[in-house]
Amino acid sequence: MAQASLGRETEATVHLRVRVPDGAPGDLLAGAATVVARIDALDDVDVEEITGITPNLNAIVVDVRATVTLRSAAPDDSTVRADLEDGTGIEAVHEVALANRTAATA
């Protein structure tokens, strides 16, 4: 993890719980990427793997590991966590790794 060009963007590796709506186009990985990409603070999302699946009535909840790029520099992990938690369809933020630092919660 490193600061992106000119310090205007921040890259982080994250572990999230994401609600993917039933009938979402593509597979679960693509569906999770679509949900995460809707977060306003993000410039880029690469969902790398699914670490858990929980079927629900109108959605499938998946735990994913992803690399995200924020539109602006984030001063700390808690800022990245707050930006992610504000996203629609984000059920939980399990872990954030930013600039060789890690903040984890259950």
Side-chain angles (χ1 to χ4, degrees):
M1 272 31 71
Q3 292 286 345
S5 62
L6 303 177
R8 289 181 294 196
E9 296 179 334
T10 302
E11 187 175 277
T13 300
V14 297
H15 188 200
L16 308 170
R17 178 165 292 146
V18 179
R19 179 175 295 276
V20 179
D22 283 346
D27 60 13
L28 282 176
L29 208 59
T34 299
V35 171
V36 177
R38 290 182 185 144
I39 297 172
D40 289 337
L42 300 182
D43 191 39
D44 190 37
V45 175
D46 179 21
V47 176
E48 297 148 4
E49 70 175 319
I50 294 174
T51 62
I53 300 173
T54 306
N56 283 321
L57 183 60
N58 295 319
I60 298 174
V61 177
V62 295
D63 290 318
V64 298
R65 290 202 186 276
T67 300
V68 299
T69 304
L70 284 80
R71 293 184 193 277
S72 60
D76 55 34
D77 298 340
S78 62
T79 301
V80 176
R81 180 180 297 279
D83 286 339
L84 295 170
E85 288 172 340
D86 284 343
T88 301
I90 305 301
E91 298 276 313
V93 178
H94 301 301
E95 183 178 2
V96 173
L98 170 69
N100 298 321
R101 293 172 291 155
T102 302
T105 61

